[in-house]
Amino acid sequence: KQDDYSIRIYKPLIEAQITVADSDYKTAVNKGFMLLFKYITGANTVNEKISMTAPVLTEQKSQNIEMTAPVLINGDNNSWTIAFVLPDNYTIESAPKPTNKDIKLIEKPQTKMAIIKFSGFMNKSKIDENTTELIKWVKDNNLEMVGEPMAAGYNPPWTIPFLRTNEVMVAVK
């Protein structure tokens, strides 16, 4: 840990994720969040309620780039992937299958992440600003990125902005 930066090892996990085509961050995240919220509150093949976990993850993706290669760009042809991390007790086999065909369950391996923490509202400009700072810190510390940055939000929408915890993170070797 160094100031607002840290390196963490995340154990393997399961994400429920959906990609929403919209150039506006807030609109896309709100729509994706609600669709994922429906999934964890019973819109799945066994009508099972799943505990809400933190963080909610977002990645900006170009529609012309594969899901595994997101890019952070401005423009009209963008889409955003929003993901909920499922509780530890689920495996890819045991997690309830979504009834919405656009929600995918993804198994993520153990990952080493470089992270910058920030407070306030999470919006595209704050994500871009902190992404730039994180990439600089990663390079300054001779780390090698092995993925694209993603944003993570930890608080409900009614949390006072200066008390919010947000992060931008990127996988590193």
Side-chain angles (χ1 to χ4, degrees), residues 14-71:
I14 308 298
E15 285 181 0
Q17 61 177 229
I18 189 164
T19 299
V20 178
D22 199 310
S23 61
D24 180 65
Y25 169 82
K26 187 174 182 179
T27 302
V29 171
N30 286 342
K31 181 177 180 183
F33 182 94
M34 290 311 299
L35 292 168
L36 290 170
F37 186 75
K38 286 180 183 177
Y39 163 67
I40 67 167
T41 56
N44 54 65
T45 55
V46 291
N47 297 324
E48 183 177 326
K49 291 187 178 180
I50 302 167
S51 297
M52 180 74 176
T53 63
V56 175
L57 303 169
T58 59
E59 291 180 276
Q60 184 179 10
K61 300 182 180 274
S62 166
Q63 290 176 324
N64 299 319
I65 305 289
E66 290 183 28
M67 294 271 297
T68 56
V71 292

Side-chain angles (χ1 to χ4, degrees), residues 25 33 52-58 83 118 122 150-156 164-169:
Y25 169 82
F33 182 94
M52 180 74 176
T53 63
V56 175
L57 303 169
T58 59
F118 62 99
M122 187 165 15
M150 68 181 86
Y154 291 86
N155 305 103
R164 290 176 183 236
T165 300
N166 304 305
E167 297 174 335
V168 171
M169 54 182 67

Side-chain angles (χ1 to χ4, degrees), residues 12-157:
L13 55 84
I14 308 298
E15 285 181 0
Q17 61 177 229
I18 189 164
T19 299
V20 178
D22 199 310
S23 61
D24 180 65
Y25 169 82
K26 187 174 182 179
T27 302
V29 171
N30 286 342
K31 181 177 180 183
F33 182 94
M34 290 311 299
L35 292 168
L36 290 170
F37 186 75
K38 286 180 183 177
Y39 163 67
I40 67 167
T41 56
N44 54 65
T45 55
V46 291
N47 297 324
E48 183 177 326
K49 291 187 178 180
I50 302 167
S51 297
M52 180 74 176
T53 63
V56 175
L57 303 169
T58 59
E59 291 180 276
Q60 184 179 10
K61 300 182 180 274
S62 166
Q63 290 176 324
N64 299 319
I65 305 289
E66 290 183 28
M67 294 271 297
T68 56
V71 292
L72 295 169
I73 58 172
N74 291 318
D76 294 332
N77 247 351
N78 294 334
S79 60
W80 292 85
T81 296
I82 301 88
F84 285 6
V85 176
L86 297 186
D88 292 10
N89 58 314
Y90 290 108
T91 65
I92 198 74
E93 294 82 23
S94 69
K97 305 304 177 249
T99 54
N100 181 331
K101 65 179 176 44
D102 295 326
I103 295 175
K104 308 294 182 221
L105 298 180
I106 307 293
E107 192 170 26
K108 300 280 183 121
Q110 179 173 299
T111 309
K112 182 178 182 180
M113 304 291 280
I115 296 154
I116 183 171
K117 185 170 125 179
F118 62 99
S119 62
F121 287 112
M122 187 165 15
N123 55 43
K124 185 162 178 349
S125 65
K126 291 279 274 193
I127 292 169
D128 289 347
E129 173 188 324
N130 283 282
T131 297
T132 300
E133 293 295 319
L134 179 61
I135 291 170
K136 180 183 180 321
W137 185 83
V138 164
K139 288 178 182 175
D140 289 350
N141 286 276
N142 299 314
L143 297 167
E144 183 181 339
M145 293 183 0
V146 292
E148 295 293 328
M150 68 181 86
Y154 291 86
N155 305 103

